[in-house]
Amino acid sequence: MRIDVLTILPDLVETFARASVVGRGRDAGLVDIRIHDLREAATDRHRTVDDAPFGGGAGMVLRPEPVFRTVEVVDPPRPLFYLSPAGRVLDQSYVRELAGLDGFSLLCGRYEGVDERIRTELIDGEISIGDYVLAGGEVAAAVVIETVARLVPGVLGNEQSSIDESFSDGLLEYPQFTRPADFRGLLVPEVLRSGDHGRVERWRRAQALARTLDHRPDLIASRGGLTQPEQALLVEFGLDTTTL
Ligand code: SAM
């Protein structure tokens, strides 16, 4: 998996790409992250990459030349996505789609955004990380990189982690506990200490259903509601079915 990032703040992305799970995946050669400084393609001595918008208005706009030139010189892996509030909103199924690619590239905007000709002539798509406005695409790039890299086989120590977690089955994850079994009188549920793996699995499934029903009923609705066996599972563990 190769991910190229085009940015005017390469250090910001580089620091992130060196840390934790992404950094380990990179060190192990599983994710090849290459960061390109758009300013290197600027031609004036101040390495200017922005200019005022035609027609007037607030702020500055990222000029087309440094972005086109960087793409021509670097030939980054396609698709090239512009990180933008107007893009397709990232969710776990989109992350899985991206993780299925051999590589892709991310263009980070700054200022008021990029010259429209970059959008119409250069990029292949747009990704948003949510319905809010960041100051630049670098944090969005970090989100895309981390969510995708952890799905690349071998990056997480335990592959089961990305199978069991929230959204993997349209549900939020069940509650997790670790030692001590009794923390200030707060006890770990008996079922988790029972050694009965079948019951543990059923309890976890019931908890995931109940939590999703409570926190994100929209996710339950989008999978067509609860099936009869799922309702029975909630009843088996005495969980709230009043919102069914
Ligand atoms: N004027 C733009 C608008 O109203 O849509 C916002 C520009 S924003 C201040 C600067 C840059 O941050 C954008 O070019 C984009 O690259 C990035 N950005 C902002 N919000 C984002 C989001 N929700 N998802 C992905 N990138 C975002």
Side-chain angles (χ1 to χ4, degrees):
M1 162 70 69
R2 176 172 155 188
I3 306 175
D4 283 34
V5 183
L6 283 59
T7 170
I8 63 166
L9 295 174
D11 294 348
L12 193 57
V13 185
E14 183 60 46
T15 301
F16 171 79
R18 265 204 299 265
S20 188
V21 169
V22 175
R24 284 200 302 275
R26 209 180 178 196
D27 291 345
L30 298 167
V31 267
D32 177 5
I33 299 172
R34 303 188 196 182
I35 299 158
H36 309 284
D37 185 355
L38 291 167
R39 284 192 194 281
E40 283 182 8
T43 45
D44 66 319
R45 72 189 170 91
H46 299 296
R47 304 211 302 163
T48 310
V49 291
D50 60 320
D51 210 333
F54 274 113
M60 303 295 269
V61 175
L62 200 54
R63 293 168 61 105
E65 301 98 319
V67 182
F68 273 76
R69 203 169 300 126
T70 303
V71 169
E72 284 153 9
V73 169
V74 166
D75 191 20
R78 297 284 183 149
L80 167 61
F81 297 105
Y82 170 47
L83 295 155
S84 145
R88 174 176 165 195
V89 178
L90 192 71
D91 62 11
Q92 194 62 17
S93 71
Y94 194 8
V95 169
R96 276 193 291 267
E97 276 178 43
L98 296 171
L101 300 172
D102 291 334
F104 60 88
S105 303
L106 300 169
L107 169 63
C108 304
R110 275 272 148 187
Y111 318 110
E112 286 308 311
V114 299
D115 184 285
E116 188 64 13
R117 290 162 290 189
I118 293 170
R119 275 178 136 142
T120 55
E121 307 304 317
L122 200 59
I123 60 161
D124 304 305
E126 302 190 26
I127 300 176
S128 165
I129 62 160
D131 290 344
Y132 40 77
V133 180
L134 301 161
E138 288 74 16
V139 169
V143 170
V144 173
I145 291 169
E146 183 160 295
T147 52
V148 170
R150 62 192 295 287
L151 296 190
V152 172
V155 168
L156 290 181
N158 179 356
E159 295 309 309
Q160 197 61 28
S161 307
S162 63
I163 294 169
D164 270 356
E165 66 191 0
S166 293
F167 308 115
S168 55
D169 187 23
L171 298 176
L172 302 177
E173 197 187 45
Y174 50 77
Q176 301 268 18
F177 293 89
T178 186
R179 276 184 277 274
D182 179 348
F183 173 66
R184 300 180 181 175
L186 301 167
L187 300 179
V188 170
E190 175 278 325
V191 56
L192 295 179
R193 292 175 288 143
S194 67
D196 181 341
H197 297 300
R199 207 162 145 252
V200 168
E201 281 313 304
R202 289 205 312 288
W203 179 88
R204 285 180 166 164
R205 181 88 185 153
Q207 291 288 337
L209 289 164
R211 176 174 279 181
T212 312
L213 208 51
D214 186 41
H215 294 242
R216 293 289 306 275
D218 59 303
L219 294 177
I220 298 285
S222 69
R223 57 201 287 283
L226 293 181
T227 62
Q228 277 300 120
E230 287 171 343
Q231 294 187 32
L233 205 54
L234 289 177
V235 171
E236 177 185 342
F237 289 99
L239 293 163
D240 187 12
T241 55
T242 51
T243 46
L244 291 179

